[in-house]
Amino acid sequence: MERWTGRVALVTGASVGIGAAVARALVQHGMKVVGCARSVDKIEKLAAECQSAGYPGTLIPYKCDLSNEEEILSMFSAIKTLHQGVDVCINNAGLARPEPLLSGRTEGWRTMIDVNVMAVSICTREAYQSMKERNIDDGHIININSMNGHSVVPQSVVHFYSATKYAVTALTEGLRQELREARTHIRATCISPGLVETGFAFKLHDNDPERAAATYESIRCLKAEDMANAVIYVLSAPPHVQIGDIQMRPTEQIS
């Protein structure tokens, strides 16, 4: 990780869960981390914790609604002005709404598309352009995917979410191919976890907190820190090694 010291990483959805754990880990390894979310209160608190812990990097909170392209473009412009540009882009932000295919609300589907697919694509494009204009040839774009992007489970509330994650699988491989066609050494990776103990289920089942809690109590789940460790592993790989996808589940998870 020494080669990333002092370089700039963008982590979307950095206020809680996987995003917060990844941001903390990158700061621990000496990176300048721009952590974005719709609300930055928790990121500001995390930044203060990182500073008081004496971590060598810094965490810069940035307020951004990823469902709004103008806000994303404004964020990349600010990063360019203040920090030259992005060297590592971690597309972590994602959400699921309980909207089945036969009865779901269009609004919920559109929200998932906007955040899980469109924001990932826009951030990826802007990160690549940032690298290209500065002749950065060793950058990395990491998409936090899901095992739902590799198999469809028989739970109607996550079928549309699964479709958005299948899109992330395709986008990551398409990105890898386009980066090769562009003759760069910028790498693309996705990390696909099973159950991770975060606030994810509580947002999915926001009308049924008992069901959400039961999701994490049935087995010993992955932790956000396990995901952060996977990100560090990916970034630590030698320049000639392209890690395409890490699929990781709790040992006790069945599907």
Side-chain angles (χ1 to χ4, degrees), residues 89-92 116 120 124 140-150 164-176 179 187-193 227 230-231 233-235 242-248:
C89 180
I90 315 284
N91 288 310
N92 164 72
N116 298 0
V120 168
T124 294
H140 210 132
I141 297 166
I142 299 175
N143 294 330
I144 303 302
N145 196 356
S146 169
M147 287 305 299
N148 287 91
H150 299 279
T164 67
K165 289 302 184 177
Y166 265 84
V168 173
T169 301
L171 289 168
T172 307
E173 173 57 16
L175 173 63
R176 186 194 69 80
L179 290 169
R187 292 179 288 181
T189 301
C190 71
I191 301 175
S192 304
M227 291 295 293
V231 169
Y233 172 75
V234 167
L235 289 173
Q242 164 88 28
I243 298 171
D245 191 0
I246 294 179
Q247 297 183 22
M248 51 195 289

Side-chain angles (χ1 to χ4, degrees), residues 37-135:
R38 283 179 297 178
S39 174
V40 295
D41 296 352
K42 292 177 180 177
I43 305 178
E44 289 171 347
K45 182 181 177 184
L46 178 59
E49 290 175 7
C50 290
Q51 187 173 13
S52 63
Y55 296 158
T58 54
L59 176 57
I60 303 114
Y62 196 94
K63 184 174 168 43
C64 181
D65 179 357
L66 291 166
S67 65
N68 185 322
E69 182 176 10
E70 288 185 6
E71 290 197 23
I72 297 174
L73 298 180
S74 177
M75 174 175 66
F76 273 91
S77 178
I79 293 172
K80 179 179 179 178
T81 300
L82 298 172
H83 310 290
Q84 282 73 57
V86 171
D87 302 311
V88 172
C89 180
I90 315 284
N91 288 310
N92 164 72
L95 55 85
R97 301 303 305 146
E99 309 290 357
L101 301 180
L102 299 183
S103 59
R105 294 172 305 142
T106 305
E107 177 189 3
W109 294 342
R110 187 170 287 119
T111 299
M112 285 185 272
I113 288 285
D114 285 346
V115 176
N116 298 0
V117 181
M118 293 303 295
V120 168
S121 301
I122 296 166
C123 288
T124 294
R125 179 190 68 202
E126 296 305 310
Y128 170 70
Q129 293 299 330
S130 172
M131 295 172 198
K132 182 181 177 183
E133 67 185 21
R134 293 175 297 126
N135 295 315

Side-chain angles (χ1 to χ4, degrees), residues 1-7 30-31 87-88 138-140 235-236:
M1 285 295 291
E2 291 79 9
R3 68 191 180 91
W4 296 114
T5 301
R7 298 182 69 179
M31 296 194 75
D87 302 311
V88 172
D138 65 344
H140 210 132
L235 289 173
S236 301

Side-chain angles (χ1 to χ4, degrees), residues 212-225:
T215 302
Y216 300 132
E217 291 169 359
S218 59
I219 62 172
R220 185 177 179 183
C221 298
L222 299 175
K223 303 291 187 185
E225 290 72 23

